[in-house]
Amino acid sequence: MNHFEKYESYIPFDLLVPQNFLLATLALTSVVLIRYLALTTCFYVAFYRKSWPWAKSRQIYPTLPDKKIQLFEIKWSVISSGIFGLGGVLLGILWQTGWARFYLPLDEYGWGYLLLSGFLLSLLHDFYFYVTHRALHIPWLYRRFHAVHHASLQPSPWASFSFHPVESIIEALPLPLILLFLPLHPLVLLVYLTLMTLSAIVNHLGFELLPRGSARHPLGKWLISGTHHSGHHRYYKYNFGLFYTIWDHLLGTQHPAYEAQFMKNTGETDQST
Ligand SMILES: [Zn+2]
Ligand SMILES: [Zn+2]
């Protein structure tokens, strides 16, 4: 049997034993934190420490965010990593107790489903994020729980996990909830989590990485970009999505100048306009 098809490869011990629970929380927190630090450092070095013509032509804001805000973002991201680590252990417990619908034989639902399930997960997650993100902009909730993330008026890649602990809990809940009814292979979840971290970093980077013309491409226009999410940090009441612009389009929260901003950030129009 393939290594990835064995339950013990993912959960080697009983998570309900207190010391195992603590050990697993520590281990998963380390994985989340190291993945965040390693990926963000790569982007930080490539875009903030080096100056190269292509990157310069893709810079969203005229100047880079200052050190103080970057340290603020790292501090909150470290705390969030602990909450995400704990969320991972809770998901493990749901699996162990028969609630989470993980399956192990890679071809149990067919190879097509294996690929499609990751996409389905991203659609459901995006919808959950849109709804809860809109709720977090209700003034009472915003002041208490979402202002930490918006302290970065001009975010840096370190802002990708920069959330108040209550917001981090809200962010950690959708995966266990979706897994209650969506059959998923754990390997798909591992790849998904890495891509999710990558997309969060790219959307806060301060540089537009998508190809020119993406914002008006029949498929590209449905994807969130660095320009799209930076518009959320700048204008607050627009661009609430996580991966896709579907709900922003449908519910009228897409920034009306998004396409023009994207063209400017990809050098299709004059930078000074
Ligand atoms: Zn927001
Ligand atoms: Zn953000």
Side-chain angles (χ1 to χ4, degrees):
M1 195 193 279
N2 187 314
H3 172 74
F4 296 114
E5 297 183 328
K6 281 193 221 140
Y7 175 78
E8 301 75 40
S9 305
Y10 304 96
I11 304 185
F13 41 56
D14 183 356
L15 292 170
L16 291 170
V17 173
Q19 72 201 57
N20 291 346
F21 179 89
L22 281 175
L23 198 68
T25 305
L26 207 62
L28 282 190
T29 298
S30 309
V31 169
V32 173
L33 188 59
I34 290 168
R35 188 174 50 197
Y36 158 81
L37 289 173
L39 289 172
T40 312
T41 302
C42 293
F43 282 94
Y44 176 78
V45 170
F47 288 88
Y48 283 57
R49 307 297 293 179
K50 306 239 179 287
S51 181
W52 38 302
W54 185 82
K56 266 266 164 269
S57 74
R58 292 305 192 100
Q59 196 167 325
I60 294 174
Y61 317 98
T63 54
L64 293 175
D66 63 38
K67 281 265 173 302
K68 214 171 125 197
I69 192 73
Q70 292 184 42
L71 287 172
F72 174 91
E73 292 166 351
I74 293 170
K75 178 188 87 179
W76 288 103
S77 295
V78 171
I79 298 169
S80 296
S81 298
I83 294 169
F84 295 155
L86 191 62
V89 177
L90 293 177
L91 185 56
I93 291 174
L94 284 180
W95 186 6
Q96 195 180 298
T97 50
W99 286 92
R101 296 197 58 188
F102 283 116
Y103 64 89
L104 287 167
L106 282 159
D107 57 356
E108 184 163 329
Y109 294 90
W111 291 95
Y113 180 79
L114 192 78
L115 293 174
L116 187 72
S117 61
F119 178 57
L120 278 176
L121 175 63
S122 72
L123 283 174
L124 293 166
H125 190 179
D126 183 68
F127 174 67
Y128 172 96
F129 183 87
Y130 183 89
V131 172
T132 52
H133 192 186
R134 289 281 309 258
L136 280 167
H137 276 256
I138 295 167
W140 190 90
L141 292 171
Y142 181 90
R143 277 196 304 278
R144 284 163 179 81
F145 309 129
H146 195 43
V148 166
H149 190 63
H150 278 277
S152 310
L153 248 183
Q154 179 188 329
S156 83
W158 304 108
S160 44
F161 285 179
S162 174
F163 306 120
H164 182 281
V166 171
E167 182 170 358
S168 298
I169 292 169
I170 294 171
E171 306 280 342
L173 283 177
L175 294 178
L177 284 175
I178 293 168
L179 257 297
L180 291 178
F181 60 91
L182 182 79
L184 202 73
H185 195 281
L187 206 54
V188 172
L189 183 66
L190 294 177
V191 173
Y192 179 83
L193 289 171
T194 303
L195 290 176
M196 197 180 125
T197 307
L198 205 58
S199 119
I201 294 169
V202 164
N203 290 342
H204 291 99
L205 183 63
F207 293 83
E208 183 51 68
L209 302 190
L210 289 186
R212 266 185 187 183
S214 297
R216 55 176 191 277
H217 184 275
L219 286 177
K221 71 174 190 175
W222 299 105
L223 285 179
I224 301 273
S225 64
T227 303
H228 194 272
H229 194 64
S230 78
H232 177 68
H233 279 262
R234 194 181 297 178
Y235 305 111
Y236 299 91
K237 37 181 209 166
Y238 294 106
N239 305 357
F240 289 90
L242 177 64
F243 303 122
Y244 310 113
T245 60
I246 303 169
W247 300 104
D248 282 312
H249 273 294
L250 286 176
L251 299 175
T253 51
Q254 175 88 341
H255 194 286
Y258 169 57
E259 249 186 57
Q261 290 158 357
F262 189 91
M263 285 170 77
K264 189 171 156 185
N265 294 336
T266 50
E268 272 196 83
T269 50
D270 186 358
Q271 297 283 323
S272 61
T273 53

